[in-house]
Every structure is written in C-alpha cells, then in structure tokens.
Amino acid sequence: MLGVSWSPSLGDASCVTLICSAFAVWVFALRRTLRRRHDVVVAALAVGAVTVIGLHVASLAERDEAARRFTMLTAFAETYALDFEDAGHGRLPAIVDPNDPTYLALIEIQKRWLAKNSLIADVYTFRKRADGSIVLVVDSETDYDGDGAYVGDRERRTTPGEAYSSVDPALTAAFDGRTSITPEPVTDRWGTWYSVFVPMVDANGAIEAVLGIDTSAAEFDASVAGMRTARIGALLAVLVGLFAAFSVIGLLRARLDEREAFEASLDEARRTAETASRAKSAFLTNMSHELRTPMNGIVGMATLLLDAPMLGEHRGHLETIRGSGEQLLTLLQDMIDLAAIEGGKFDPAIGPFDPTASVKTILALFHTDCIDRGLDLRVDVGDGV
C-alpha cells in the first residue's frame, strides 16, 4: 500500500471537554451517593482509560478509512493509465490537434469512466515540456453538478496544451516514475480535490505523461469523518454504560453504608439496654437483700409472740402477720431469682409443694380487707386435689 500520511480531523479536545463536563455533572448529581473519594477516583480512572482508548481507536479507524479510499483511488488510476497506454496516448504529438482521432477516442474513454464511477470527479493527463512546464493533454468535459449539461468553463473540455500552474509535489513525483497521492486537499479552478497521479509510458517504456484522477475532498472527508463519528458514538455508548454501572455501584454502596450505620446504632442500643438491664438487676438484688433483713425480723418476732399464751383471736391475727411476712420474703426471693435469671445465673430448685396450702396462704393476705368491706372470701378444695 502507498505511504499515506493522514491528519485526523480535529475533535479530540472537544470530545475530552464534553466527557469531562459530563463526568463533573455526574459526580455533582450523585454527590450524596458517591460518598467515598475512592469511588470517584476509580470512576475517573475508568472513564479516562476508556476515553483514551476510544479516541485512539477512532483515530485509527479514520486513518484506515483514508488509507482504504486512497488505495482504491490508486487502483482506479493505475487501471485507467493502462487503458490509456493501450489506446495510444503515447502516440499523441507534442502539440495535440483537438480533432485528432486518437485524442477524441481518449476523450470518449474518459467520459465512459466518469459515467460509471461516481467516486471519480475527473480524469486527465499531463505532459512535461522541455522547458519544465506542465500542460494538460487529455481532459474531457465533466458534468460536475450532474445536470446532464456541460455548462461554463469549469465543465467544458480543456484545450490540449493548456498550462497547469498548480503543480503539487505528488505530480512532480509521478513524472519521476512514482505513483503518488495528495494527502492534503488541493484547490484549483475546478474545485478542491484529493488526487492520485500515475506515470504513463510509451512503447519504449519511457515516461511520456502522467494520468491524474480527482475525488471530491468534501465527500472524501465526510466519509472518513463518518467512520470516526461511528467510533466516537460507540465510545460515548460505552461511557454511558460506565456511568450507569458506577451509579448502581454507588447506590448499592450507599445503601450498604446506611445499613451498616443502622446495624451499628442497633448494636449500640442493645449494649445500652443490656447495661441498663444489668444495673436494674443489680439494684433489685441489692434492694431485695436490704428488705429481707427487716422482714426476717418481723417474721421472727411474730414467731416468738406465737409461742406466748394469748387469746385465740389475737393468735390468728399474729399468724396472719407472720404468714404475710413469709409471703413478702418469698416475693423478695422471687425478685432475687428474677435478677439471677436476667443475669444468666439462675439455678432453679425442683421439689414438691402443697398447692392447697399455697392458695390458703394467699387468701389470708386479703382476709382483713374482705372483712372491712363486708365481703366473704372463701376457698373450697376438693379431697382429690
């Protein structure tokens, strides 16, 4: 393939600016979700890497498309040059008569080429005179606007021998025997083109002319830019996917952080509750022990009084006092046991008890209140219980 030097269209700076702006907007919009600086740094590195790779791929695609089109144009030019050599271009005299049969036949060949190949805007040949000047030889009329008519100097046939002033280095290289292209657009009175120049030889193998073909620079650049645009579009689609992925990751991470914070608050509340429970248990235990001491005194004194002689009614009241005191001692012991249960240190004692006696002891506590209110409170327990 010919050595093609192609300068990609400008736009990398614009793409980078657009992507950086979009990234800044994205970070601002998700500032409450992307709470960790690490997440922003990772996202920035990923977006930067994808952008660099994407722009590089777009530039390669642009260069490849330009090289492909130049290669195709070169193949056309070389084919047309061989056709012209076979049609007798080398037999044309130095000064060509516009009515020369060979010249007219070559004009018709050019017109057929232009009618069949829409990529080619013009086909022509040059010769170099002894004084070094370059003149056009065969350049047919060209319907540039496609209206079917050849109107104006731009579309009419060029007179053989007209001097060509816009000499490009690629044209000079072709006269030296090298097929050459113009990597940059060249503007002449016919328009702005990319051109390919191919040397032509006579029957003796000497270079007698150069064939050139033109293609529209606007159409060429549009095709190459379209390839780049497609790659840029793919890059933007990938970046949108990255933004979406990092958004989801940020949202999930934010929810995870909230859940961890909630669980931490629950754990703190649990520890606070456990501390309060232990304090309550310790208080109940201490208070129960403190209350047991005077209650033991009350029960002891009631027992001593019951050993002394007294009236039956007084004895009953005293037995109630002692029973009530013993019941309070039982309740205090239950409170101590409850504190032990909450502290995980309770060791239950399993043994037989008398449910009838327990019920009668409880009723005795309410006996006096019932008498004061004129109520009769009794319990009957069957013999089989």
Side-chain angles (χ1 to χ4, degrees), residues 292-325:
R292 283 175 64 180
T293 300
M295 287 307 303
N296 282 327
I298 292 173
V299 173
M301 294 308 296
T303 302
L304 291 176
L305 288 174
L306 286 173
D307 292 339
M310 63 181 67
L311 298 175
E313 182 180 356
H314 293 167
R315 180 175 293 277
H317 293 332
L318 194 57
E319 287 179 349
T320 300
I321 292 173
R322 186 176 68 173
S324 298

Side-chain angles (χ1 to χ4, degrees), residues 368-375:
T368 303
D369 289 338
C370 290
I371 292 175
D372 293 340
R373 298 180 184 182
L375 300 177

Side-chain angles (χ1 to χ4, degrees), residues 220-297:
F220 186 99
D221 290 342
S223 175
V224 174
M227 185 63 68
R228 176 182 178 82
T229 300
R231 297 299 187 273
I232 295 295
L235 167 63
L236 295 178
V238 172
L239 289 176
V240 169
L242 271 180
F243 285 144
F246 278 110
S247 298
V248 172
I249 292 173
L251 180 60
L252 293 176
R253 190 183 294 278
R255 290 185 176 179
L256 180 61
D257 291 342
E258 291 176 357
R259 180 175 179 178
E260 290 177 350
F262 179 70
E263 290 178 351
S265 65
L266 287 180
D267 187 60
E268 180 64 24
R270 179 184 59 81
R271 288 196 295 269
T272 302
E274 290 176 350
T275 301
S277 178
R278 286 194 295 270
K280 181 197 69 174
S281 298
F283 173 78
L284 290 176
T285 300
N286 293 333
M287 288 300 298
S288 299
H289 282 293
E290 293 297 328
L291 290 173
R292 283 175 64 180
T293 300
M295 287 307 303
N296 282 327

Side-chain angles (χ1 to χ4, degrees), residues 93-362:
I95 299 177
V96 179
D97 182 356
N99 296 315
D100 183 289
T102 302
Y103 169 77
L104 294 176
L106 293 173
I107 289 292
E108 292 302 317
I109 293 174
Q110 281 185 330
K111 291 169 69 174
R112 287 197 300 270
W113 288 339
L114 293 173
K116 293 181 179 180
N117 194 338
S118 60
L119 295 177
I120 306 302
D122 200 3
V123 183
Y124 45 84
T125 61
F126 291 114
R127 275 182 175 168
K128 182 183 287 188
R129 290 178 174 172
D131 60 1
S133 62
I134 296 176
V135 297
L136 285 159
V137 181
V138 181
D139 184 19
S140 74
E141 56 268 30
T142 305
D143 187 12
Y144 289 115
D145 55 14
D147 61 358
Y150 303 100
V151 179
D153 292 339
R154 182 170 179 264
E155 293 190 344
R156 290 195 187 99
R157 185 184 307 174
T158 303
T159 303
E162 178 181 322
Y164 185 70
S165 58
S166 302
V167 179
D168 188 90
L171 178 57
T172 303
F175 277 109
D176 293 335
R178 301 190 303 274
T179 298
S180 302
I181 60 176
T182 57
E184 299 294 335
V186 175
T187 301
D188 54 25
R189 67 185 177 90
W190 291 278
T192 301
W193 324 99
Y194 289 104
S195 303
V196 178
F197 301 110
V198 178
M200 297 171 58
V201 298
D202 56 18
N204 297 321
I207 296 175
E208 60 92 12
V210 167
L211 179 137
I213 63 171
D214 293 339
T215 187
S216 169
E219 294 179 0
F220 186 99
D221 290 342
S223 175
V224 174
M227 185 63 68
R228 176 182 178 82
T229 300
R231 297 299 187 273
I232 295 295
L235 167 63
L236 295 178
V238 172
L239 289 176
V240 169
L242 271 180
F243 285 144
F246 278 110
S247 298
V248 172
I249 292 173
L251 180 60
L252 293 176
R253 190 183 294 278
R255 290 185 176 179
L256 180 61
D257 291 342
E258 291 176 357
R259 180 175 179 178
E260 290 177 350
F262 179 70
E263 290 178 351
S265 65
L266 287 180
D267 187 60
E268 180 64 24
R270 179 184 59 81
R271 288 196 295 269
T272 302
E274 290 176 350
T275 301
S277 178
R278 286 194 295 270
K280 181 197 69 174
S281 298
F283 173 78
L284 290 176
T285 300
N286 293 333
M287 288 300 298
S288 299
H289 282 293
E290 293 297 328
L291 290 173
R292 283 175 64 180
T293 300
M295 287 307 303
N296 282 327
I298 292 173
V299 173
M301 294 308 296
T303 302
L304 291 176
L305 288 174
L306 286 173
D307 292 339
M310 63 181 67
L311 298 175
E313 182 180 356
H314 293 167
R315 180 175 293 277
H317 293 332
L318 194 57
E319 287 179 349
T320 300
I321 292 173
R322 186 176 68 173
S324 298
E326 291 175 347
Q327 184 65 28
L328 284 173
L329 286 175
T330 302
L331 290 175
L332 291 174
Q333 184 60 48
D334 290 342
M335 292 174 65
I336 295 173
D337 292 340
L338 176 61
I341 291 173
E342 291 180 346
K345 300 178 180 179
F346 179 68
D347 186 13
I350 300 175
F353 73 99
D354 185 353
T356 301
S358 298
V359 171
K360 289 182 178 180
T361 300
I362 294 172

